[in-house]
Each structure stands twice: as C-alpha cells, then as structure tokens.
Amino acid sequence: MIDDVPTNEIASLKETYPNEFVTAGQLGTYYVCWNVNEELLPSTSTLTGADKANAENEIRNALALLIDRNYIVNDVAQGGQVPASSFVAMGLTDADGSQFYENAGGNSFNGYYDVSEDAYEANWASAIETLKKYYTYDDATSMFTDFPTLTYLYNTSEGHKAIAEAIQATFAGIGITMNLENQEWATFLDTRKAGNYSVARNGWLGDYNDPISFLDMWTTQSGNNDVQFGKGDNAKVQAYSLDITDLGYDTKVENGTWAETYDVLISDIKTCTDTKTRYELMHRAEDLLMSTGCICPIYYYTDLYMISSNVSGFFSSPLGYKYFMYCTITG
C-alpha cells in the first residue's frame, strides 16, 4: 500500500496500474490563506480603518479570481480534485440533506466564485478592473507597477511547490512579484501560526460531517486561526457587520470588530438547537469569512493511494483514515 503518490508520477501510475490506483473523496479543502494583518495597498495609499480593511478584502477576492483552479487540478495536481468555490468542503450536508457548498454564496453558481472553465475569462477581467481601483496599471504592458512584493510560504513538497509556482506565474503575468519560501513541516506550522507570513498554503479536513468543523477554526482564540483574525492590528479594526435579527437574535452590528461579529456568531451556532436556524447561521458565518478574501479555496481534496489487488478487506473513510483490521492477502 502506498499512501503518498508522487505528483509527477500520477498520470503514468494511473495508466500502468489502473486496478491498484485509487482516487477517493475526502471532506476537505486545499486553500491559500492570507495574513489579515499583511499590508496589501501601495505605499501611496491614504486609506485607513474600515476603508482600508474593506479595500484589502476586495483586493484579496480579486486575486482569488485570477487563479485558474481548473488548470491546477487538471495539469498540476492531477489527482481528480474538484475546483473549490467555498471553504466548507464538498460532501458536508446542509439542513435538508443537500450539499452545504451548493447552497453557499447566494449566487447563480455554487459557492463564492464561478469556477467553471467558461467563467475564467470573465473572472480575470473582473479582477483586473477591481485591482485598477487601487494600483497603477500600465496599459502598454498590461502590468500593475506598484503592487507590494509578496512571499508565499509552503511546506516542503513537490505537489505544494508546483501549485505555488502556478499561482506565482499567474500573478507575475500582471506585474505582481510573489517569492516562494518552503520550510519543513514543523517549522512551517510554527511560522504560519505565529503570523510571520504574507501568503501561505493551507488545507483542512473535517473531523465530522458538520460545517462547524470548518467554521469554528476562525474565531479569535482558536488555535487554528493562522489568518490572525482578531489578533494584532486586526483586533481593533471595525469593519465587519452582522445582522441576525431576522433569525430571532438581538445581534445587529455595523462596522464591529471580528470578536463582536464572527466570534459572537460562532457562539450562537454552538448553542442553537433549531436545525434549520443553525445551518442558516453557519451559511452567514461562511459569508462573513469569505467576504474578507483571507481564505482562497483552490480545490476539494481527494485521497490518492495505491493498494495491491492481492489485498482484500481494506477500506477508507472520507476523513482520510485507512483501516486494515479486516485485511487479508492472497497470492
């Protein structure tokens, strides 16, 4: 059994070992995260407070539209992954049994971005127009000339490196310099958790079939809050709004802090006993999370592994766990 298939060998292994190569679904999302305290505006910008925060939210969401997720899953990752349009992963169910991500975003397409191949050209054009609001654009070269230099952090892996290089090339095509930095796993986790980065690769697998397992990680005090929501300079930023009075709650906040909005919302979700209301609250939590642009979903995970056809009784779960207790080997 091989549980870590080399990215550059995937195509040939699929062809050579069609009966042993397995592509299984997982309840997880591979994504890029942005440090919410990272400066994104040009040095000449005079925006402050909520205006600055809202501008940076818009910038991050525009950059997310530039990423060609179909190219990444088909030509880079090559593991049967599904382009992601939301943070909460494909496979998690909603209150009515449908998939949560299919009902996210309130758009004519699933989620927060249209990730269909046909939409990429329009996404690109929309992103460029948004960025022109904040940066100097050279029409002759189709390049932005004053975007701050970024550093993309990833843990040592050929697969992560290939995705980083694809995003780097995309950004370079419009004049954005993004340097790549790789670290070994333990160091990488410490660096990301401490907020000592500008952009980083990330991924999350749900612990159980409930969207809260993806949403409660972004509260201020969560140990998984690598984006630094509600920490450092962001703790004082009053740029987030929440109104859940239509669901029977008293909370209505205009331009509040992350603690006054997102943290409160997650707390209400955890004490809510009405299923329909609880799931609507979770949709609103993801709406608020995704509005920041700090979470840029790339694809929904699949689990790639190879197992000999001589093994019977093996099974795996959508959470990525492998079970061998009933295995026997023949031949």
Side-chain angles (χ1 to χ4, degrees):
M1 198 264 184
I2 302 172
D3 196 26
D4 188 10
V5 182
T7 301
N8 59 354
E9 299 288 339
I10 288 173
S12 62
L13 289 172
K14 280 183 177 179
E15 183 176 350
T16 307
Y17 302 98
N19 297 323
E20 288 85 6
F21 194 101
V22 180
T23 302
Q26 277 193 301
L27 297 178
T29 305
Y30 187 105
Y31 62 101
V32 172
C33 64
W34 296 78
N35 185 341
V36 72
N37 291 314
E38 181 76 5
E39 293 291 335
L40 284 179
L41 290 164
S43 58
T44 54
S45 175
T46 58
L47 295 177
T48 60
D51 290 337
K52 178 176 181 290
N54 290 329
E56 291 177 335
N57 293 347
E58 193 173 20
I59 290 163
R60 286 186 289 258
N61 275 309
L63 294 173
L65 290 176
L66 295 173
I67 298 174
D68 190 343
R69 293 160 178 78
N70 287 283
Y71 170 73
I72 288 175
V73 301
N74 294 327
D75 298 290
V76 180
Q78 302 180 54
Q81 297 92 343
V82 177
S85 57
S86 63
F87 177 59
V88 176
M90 179 178 67
L92 280 86
T93 52
D94 214 325
D96 61 359
S98 62
Q99 294 210 51
F100 190 88
Y101 89 102
E102 292 179 339
N103 304 320
N107 298 299
S108 58
F109 46 83
N110 298 336
Y112 300 88
Y113 317 109
D114 187 345
V115 296
S116 63
E117 292 188 46
D118 292 343
Y120 185 62
E121 186 176 342
N123 286 346
W124 180 280
S126 174
I128 296 299
E129 289 306 308
T130 296
L131 295 174
K132 284 180 179 179
K133 292 166 58 177
Y134 303 104
Y135 305 98
T136 304
Y137 187 72
D138 185 342
D139 289 304
T141 61
S142 299
M143 297 277 192
F144 292 98
T145 60
D146 55 354
F147 200 104
T149 297
L150 303 172
T151 299
Y152 183 101
L153 183 68
Y154 67 97
N155 56 297
T156 305
S157 158
E158 287 303 311
H160 299 324
K161 179 182 179 183
I163 292 172
E165 289 174 340
I167 298 173
Q168 180 189 47
T170 296
F171 288 174
I174 60 168
I176 299 175
T177 298
M178 186 172 76
N179 299 318
L180 305 185
E181 178 183 351
N182 75 291
Q183 296 178 346
E184 292 304 315
W185 179 243
T187 303
F188 168 75
L189 289 181
D190 289 342
T191 302
R192 200 175 62 188
K193 187 175 296 293
N196 295 327
Y197 73 96
S198 52
V199 195
R201 71 135 305 248
N202 215 325
W204 188 254
L205 292 174
D207 297 315
Y208 44 91
N209 182 13
D210 193 311
I212 196 64
S213 65
F214 281 74
L215 298 171
D216 67 357
M217 61 190 289
W218 301 115
T219 57
T220 302
Q221 299 304 322
S222 169
N224 294 308
N225 178 19
D226 295 346
V227 166
Q228 312 298 307
F229 287 126
K231 298 181 179 182
D233 291 341
N234 186 249
K236 298 175 288 186
V237 171
Q238 296 177 300
Y240 309 105
S241 298
L242 175 66
D243 183 358
I244 52 174
T245 55
D246 61 313
L247 298 176
Y249 290 85
D250 295 331
T251 304
K252 185 175 182 179
V253 180
E254 289 286 338
N255 289 329
T257 64
W258 192 253
E260 292 169 336
T261 53
Y262 196 85
D263 289 2
V264 169
L265 185 50
I266 295 300
S267 178
D268 287 339
I269 291 167
K270 291 189 172 183
T271 58
C272 182
T273 57
D274 180 80
T275 299
K276 185 176 180 181
T277 300
R278 180 174 177 274
Y279 274 81
E280 176 57 29
L281 289 171
M282 287 194 287
H283 276 298
R284 296 193 189 185
E286 189 176 25
D287 289 346
L288 180 53
L289 176 68
M290 294 298 292
S291 72
T292 69
C294 289
I295 305 298
C296 175
I298 303 298
Y299 59 69
Y300 301 124
Y301 275 113
T302 51
D303 188 12
L304 303 182
Y305 58 88
M306 297 182 69
I307 188 163
S308 170
S309 57
N310 293 334
V311 178
S312 60
F314 168 84
F315 67 98
S316 64
S317 81
L319 300 178
Y321 298 113
K322 312 291 192 302
Y323 298 93
F324 300 91
M325 69 278 276
Y326 303 119
C327 286
T328 57
I329 300 175
T330 59

